[in-house]
Amino acid sequence: MKVVRFARYGGPEVLELVDGDAPHARAGQIRIAVRAAGVNGLEWKIRQGLLRDVRPLRLPAGIGGDAAGIVDEVGDGVTDVRVGDTVFGSGQETYAEHAVLTSWAQKPPEVSFEEAAGFATPFETALRVLDDSGVRGGHTVLVNGASGGVGSAAVQFAVDRGATVIGIAGPSNQDYIASLGAVATTFGPYLVDRVRALAPNGIDAALDIAGSDIIAELIELTGDPARVVSIADFSAPELGARVSTGFGRDKTHALREGARLAAAGRLTLPVAQTFPLAQAGAAQAASATGHVRGRIIVTVP
Ligand SMILES: NC(=O)c1ccc[n+]([C@@H]2O[C@H](COP(=O)([O-])OP(=O)(O)OC[C@H]3O[C@@H](n4cnc5c(N)ncnc54)[C@H](OP(=O)(O)O)[C@@H]3O)[C@@H](O)[C@H]2O)c1
């Protein structure tokens, strides 16, 4: 099969489309014929070698965590899907013609493979930070980085719970954030004043998705570091705020919950741009700009 691999850490050019053996599903796993793979910010950081101390790789290595496709192998003990089902989920080395998934959900028929390919990480991350922050109906939630993959999902999950959401993103995404059901505002100077004007009764929980050096302002707005969580600023604990990571967490519940809302038309994740598998490096470069509305997707012919 065709698979994207890299033999050394570096820029987008180190990603190569090569021939490799298809992986097999072990117990509790499934294999899919990949139709599309979602591109996460974490992946260009892995390729660049920025995580080599915490996540050492044996090179050459494949890359990619999210995908959608058609089940073509089912591991021992898996009873909720069959060969031929269409699914999306999360696994390993998903920029490939076949990939093993460790968490999955049925793809709603209303959603394309391209859109569903981007779901897994945004759904799991967004639900995790909302649950860990105790967000519920009646709360006012501030989401920094509301227009990207995780941010778009967080806004819509929170709105669905009945929370009032204020979303922070760039000027070109204000209308987009409003279309997701949030009150939109821009990042930059006087942010605290702008948010206070939009939420005179205060902020119950602040989610830093963008990791844009904003923790002090979020603490000022919530009045309590315990109400602030970041997924991308690892210096947040220095100010008393939390960092949330998904290592070792089971994603199945989040994927099913997201699929349920997507099927009902209450949760969408726009496909910002698609790239063929052979241009995975360009796809990661587009993701690395940090200004993606929704998700960048790699498609498999
Ligand atoms: N800890 C975890 O479990 C976990 C899980 C998933 C992802 N992550 C990390 O979380 C981060 C976000 O992931 P993602 O996939 O959602 O990223 P993404 O899709 O690239 O989106 C980033 C968003 O941030 C916005 N943004 C850029 N600069 C900003 C600023 N200064 N202030 C506020 N917003 C700004 C952009 O909006 P505009 O285009 O409107 O500027 C963009 O929509 C990445 O660093 C990723 O590695 C962590």
Side-chain angles (χ1 to χ4, degrees):
M1 68 162 188
K2 295 289 183 195
V3 53
V4 174
R5 293 216 170 112
F6 60 116
R8 61 187 167 86
Y9 293 115
E13 69 285 351
V14 302
L15 294 185
E16 293 182 308
L17 189 62
V18 299
D19 290 310
D21 294 334
H24 289 287
R26 295 185 182 176
Q29 302 178 336
I30 61 172
R31 189 182 73 183
I32 60 170
V34 178
R35 295 287 300 274
V39 177
N40 284 295
L42 187 67
E43 290 147 20
W44 70 261
K45 296 173 195 172
I46 292 171
R47 184 209 68 219
Q48 200 84 42
L50 302 180
L51 302 177
R52 69 215 294 178
D53 293 337
V54 282
R55 272 197 191 191
L57 288 177
R58 190 144 39 113
L59 300 177
I63 194 150
D66 294 347
I70 301 164
V71 177
D72 68 357
E73 199 175 80
V74 174
D76 286 347
V78 174
T79 56
D80 60 345
V81 287
R82 294 176 182 181
V83 168
D85 284 1
T86 55
V87 298
F88 70 93
S90 139
Q92 295 108 32
E93 306 192 352
T94 55
Y95 299 7
E97 288 181 329
H98 297 270
V100 165
L101 299 185
T102 47
S103 308
W104 57 84
Q106 298 280 349
K107 181 183 78 62
E110 300 83 355
V111 177
S112 67
F113 281 110
E114 285 79 6
E115 184 181 354
F119 279 173
T121 295
F123 284 6
E124 187 279 325
T125 310
L127 263 189
R128 170 176 17 107
V129 292
L130 289 169
D131 285 345
D132 290 356
S133 302
V135 170
R136 57 177 191 269
H139 278 178
T140 299
V141 186
L142 183 59
V143 179
N144 179 50
S147 55
V150 180
S152 295
V155 167
Q156 293 170 91
F157 277 126
V159 167
D160 199 72
R161 286 179 185 194
T164 298
V165 183
I166 299 173
I168 304 170
S172 63
N173 278 318
Q174 299 293 292
D175 289 348
Y176 166 66
I177 293 176
S179 78
L180 301 180
V183 178
T185 194
T186 50
F187 45 78
Y190 308 110
L191 174 75
V192 170
D193 295 340
R194 278 197 301 287
V195 173
R196 283 209 172 118
L198 294 170
N201 294 325
I203 300 290
D204 296 296
L207 318 179
D208 170 34
I209 308 295
S212 54
D213 196 16
I214 199 178
I215 302 300
E217 284 135 297
L218 299 185
I219 293 171
E220 197 179 338
L221 281 162
T222 56
D224 182 357
R227 292 173 187 250
V228 177
V229 62
S230 180
I231 64 164
D233 183 344
F234 287 86
S235 70
E238 292 168 18
L239 297 176
R242 286 170 296 130
V243 170
S244 175
T245 61
F247 297 121
R249 300 248 198 158
D250 180 33
K251 301 180 175 162
T252 306
H253 164 70
L255 303 192
R256 288 183 180 165
E257 177 61 8
R260 188 179 68 80
L261 294 188
R266 281 150 52 198
L267 176 52
T268 61
L269 203 52
V271 175
Q273 212 175 340
T274 62
F275 293 82
L277 200 53
Q279 291 174 25
Q284 285 194 346
S287 164
T289 63
H291 295 285
V292 174
R293 179 187 294 182
R295 203 87 299 205
I296 302 276
I297 301 296
V298 169
T299 56
V300 179

